[in-house]
Amino acid sequence: MNPLLEIAEVSVGQHYYWELGGYELHGQVLITSWVVLAIIATLSLLGNRDLKPTPDGFQNFTELVTEFIRDLAKTQIGEEDYLKWVPFLGTIFLFIFVSNWSGALLPYRLIEIPNGELAAPTNDINTTVALALLTSISYFYAGISKKGLGYFSRYVEPAAFLLPINVLEDFTKPLSLSFRLFGNILADELVVGVLVALVPLIIPIPIMLLGVFTSAIQALVFATLAGAYIGEALADHH
């Protein structure tokens, strides 16, 4: 048995599987991901369907979010290259942010499915690994598109004997991104679930509010690190 396949089969809790072309898909993750994408699309349409030179109403909110993401990209990537990466960082940030908040605020567990239970998409390791791999592909693309094959010279800087460490660093980046996000969201939902089962409803409310706050922080941390990795790949090394 391939050890990589064994790792890929690691799962937490029960899952609702869909059969597609001989493959098993985590159905509940796709359902909640579509919910998240629908929320983002709806808010975007509401805020941008009637754009005005002087924003008001919901347009103020969407422009505030856009400016926040632009500032984040400019800080992490640099003024020269940041604009082309705003859509990527914005997509990553909004998907994780809305996913985390949907898990904290929407009563997913009240919806019955044939097996398992609904939860935030980021509560599944497959989702967080996919987001981390997208980030890795993005910073490799950023470095190679700007520097060509000369990008790989960074692995022997500042000294050739650091090659194994520099290569290992690129393997650990997606691991740390994915497990940090997955672990925090899973732990938060488990703590709230246990408290709701053991004590009256009023007691877990402060923990739920704290979970809403930490969920937003996790989205910010992921997007900030993604921007930092892309900025590092684009930076000139001497």
Side-chain angles (χ1 to χ4, degrees):
M1 183 69 176
N2 189 328
L4 290 178
L5 292 179
E6 291 180 358
I7 294 173
E9 291 176 357
V10 171
S11 62
V12 177
Q14 293 184 322
H15 295 282
Y16 174 39
Y17 290 107
W18 290 345
E19 293 283 344
L20 183 64
Y23 293 95
E24 287 187 336
L25 305 178
H26 285 195
Q28 79 272 29
V29 177
L30 293 176
I31 293 171
T32 52
S33 294
W34 292 336
V35 170
V36 168
L37 294 175
I39 292 171
I40 295 173
T42 301
L43 294 178
S44 300
L45 289 173
L46 288 175
N48 299 291
R49 62 181 175 178
D50 185 24
L51 294 177
K52 301 174 182 176
T54 304
D56 61 2
F58 208 69
Q59 185 182 341
N60 274 321
F61 173 72
T62 56
E63 291 199 10
L64 178 66
V65 173
T66 305
E67 285 298 317
F68 172 77
I69 295 169
R70 280 169 58 97
D71 290 342
L72 173 67
K74 184 187 292 186
T75 302
Q76 299 301 323
I77 298 174
E79 197 152 350
E80 182 182 346
D81 300 300
Y82 82 94
L83 266 180
K84 66 180 71 171
W85 291 101
V86 168
F88 174 74
L89 292 182
T91 302
I92 288 281
F93 174 78
L94 288 175
F95 180 79
I96 296 175
F97 183 88
V98 177
S99 293
N100 293 352
W101 271 37
S102 71
L105 299 176
L106 297 182
Y108 279 139
R109 286 179 172 80
L110 298 181
I111 303 173
E112 292 188 5
I113 56 177
N115 192 32
E117 58 185 18
L118 297 179
T122 43
N123 192 26
D124 190 287
I125 188 67
N126 297 284
T127 305
T128 60
V129 168
L131 292 171
L133 288 177
L134 278 176
T135 302
S136 294
I137 293 168
S138 297
Y139 69 71
F140 275 115
Y141 169 77
I144 294 171
S145 63
K146 183 174 182 179
K147 304 173 185 177
L149 294 178
Y151 167 75
F152 294 103
S153 65
R154 66 189 287 270
Y155 289 117
V156 292
E157 294 177 357
F161 69 85
L162 293 175
L163 173 64
I165 296 175
N166 289 332
V167 171
L168 183 62
E169 181 186 9
D170 274 345
F171 279 101
T172 56
K173 282 176 180 176
L175 283 175
S176 64
L177 279 175
S178 57
F179 281 102
R180 180 190 299 109
L181 179 59
F182 168 67
N184 278 282
I185 301 307
L186 176 65
D188 176 59
E189 293 198 7
L190 286 177
V191 168
V192 171
V194 169
L195 285 176
V196 168
L198 294 178
V199 295
L201 182 61
I202 194 73
I203 304 298
I205 288 178
I207 305 296
M208 295 172 69
L209 294 176
L210 180 62
V212 169
F213 174 73
T214 55
S215 296
I217 295 297
Q218 288 305 315
L220 177 60
V221 167
F222 196 106
T224 300
L225 288 175
Y229 295 156
I230 293 169
E232 182 184 0
L234 292 168
D236 293 319
H237 296 275
H238 303 288

